[in-house]
Amino acid sequence: MLQSLIFDMDGTLFQTDKILELSLEDTFNHLRRLNKWDAVTPIDKYREIMGVPLPKVWETLLPDHSIEVREQIDTYFLERLIENISNGKGALYPNVKEVFNYLKENNYSIYIASNGLTEYLKAIVNYYDLDYWVTEFFSIQQITTLDKGDLVKDIIKKYNIEKAAVVGDRLSDINAAKDNGLISIGCNFDFAQEDELAQADWVIDDLIELTTILPKL
């Protein structure tokens, strides 16, 4: 029987799409004011790579900019994201709290492993009171490799987890499960890609489906 579930945050628990375009547009307007950008905001490109750590985001979106500029933009973007979360412009996916209640009632431990930065995750957890259910959230910032498999490994080691599933929408989540001998549950949500989900052990279209899948595991 499974003991624990390790959830991704963006595109799995939190509807990042609701604040992504707004925050990215703010950020590239900032670049334009600095005369460091003169094209359209690359929202579609960001959607393609959604789920990778932010340093890799800026390598992709700003390949011709210096590391210093990328770091400045990273900070600015994070500020915009947190402000939009705090202003209630984001949202959890349907049934997050219902599923978390089910898990808590059935003695599952809940963890979050995200490629998001610590302050960003903290803003979401605090705004939606997720710490009522979640034992601990982990950010990719906490490890040097920027590999979600290593992040999940740290969770397993810290909490002596033997049987668990990783729930997420991208290949990094599926691989993190495989790398650690865990079950992978792919979420067919906003940023998911069919070829990536094909590699998961299970695929769901709504988090509420976990309540029927988990007893089978």
Side-chain angles (χ1 to χ4, degrees):
M1 180 177 174
L2 293 184
Q3 303 169 298
S4 310
L5 275 89
I6 302 171
F7 288 87
D8 174 45
M9 179 66 89
D10 290 313
T12 299
L13 297 177
F14 184 67
Q15 296 187 57
T16 317
D17 208 29
K18 290 185 177 295
I19 63 169
L20 175 64
E21 185 170 337
L22 185 63
S23 302
L24 204 62
E25 194 65 56
D26 286 346
T27 301
F28 276 82
N29 281 336
H30 178 63
L31 272 172
R32 292 182 185 101
R33 289 192 294 271
L34 297 175
N35 293 317
K36 295 182 183 297
W37 189 262
D38 60 3
V40 298
T41 302
I43 292 172
D44 290 339
K45 174 60 72 174
Y46 194 5
R47 289 176 182 277
E48 292 174 14
I49 61 173
M50 185 66 191
V52 304
L54 275 177
K56 296 186 182 297
V57 167
W58 304 121
E59 286 176 20
T60 304
L61 300 187
L62 302 173
D64 300 323
H65 291 67
S66 67
I67 293 175
E68 182 182 6
V69 169
R70 290 177 194 164
E71 289 175 348
Q72 291 171 356
I73 291 306
D74 189 49
T75 300
Y76 188 89
F77 182 59
L78 178 61
E79 291 171 353
R80 299 283 73 73
L81 287 171
I82 291 174
E83 182 179 348
N84 286 324
I85 292 165
S86 301
N87 289 336
K89 294 182 179 178
L92 298 178
Y93 276 97
N95 300 312
V96 168
K97 292 188 175 182
E98 289 82 355
V99 168
F100 277 8
N101 279 327
Y102 168 85
L103 294 174
K104 188 169 185 177
E105 290 168 1
N106 287 276
N107 299 314
Y108 290 94
S109 298
I110 303 171
Y111 307 91
I112 292 172
S114 172
N115 281 335
L117 301 182
T118 302
E119 290 304 312
Y120 166 72
L121 297 175
K122 188 183 296 183
I124 298 172
V125 169
N126 289 344
Y127 187 84
Y128 296 102
D129 297 319
L130 296 183
D131 51 2
Y132 175 75
W133 299 275
V134 177
T135 301
E136 188 174 353
F137 71 87
F138 293 77
S139 163
I140 202 71
Q141 258 185 310
Q142 296 171 231
I143 57 171
T144 57
T145 63
L146 299 182
D147 185 314
K148 185 171 276 192
D150 291 337
L151 188 62
V152 168
K153 186 182 298 181
D154 279 1
I155 299 173
I156 292 171
K157 184 177 180 180
K158 180 172 182 178
Y159 288 96
N160 298 313
I161 296 170
E162 294 181 0
K163 295 182 179 180
V166 177
V167 183
D169 65 318
R170 298 307 302 266
L171 187 60
S172 61
D173 305 301
I174 295 166
N175 285 339
K178 290 183 177 180
D179 291 346
N180 290 284
L182 307 180
I183 293 170
S184 59
I185 301 176
C187 297
N188 188 22
F189 300 168
D190 295 315
F191 301 104
Q193 296 186 14
E194 187 175 349
D195 59 331
E196 296 182 357
L197 291 178
Q199 301 180 52
D201 297 315
W202 295 78
V203 176
I204 59 175
D205 296 309
D206 189 302
L207 288 168
I208 201 68
E209 295 175 42
L210 290 174
T211 61
T212 56
I213 288 175
L214 293 177
K216 301 175 184 177
L217 301 179

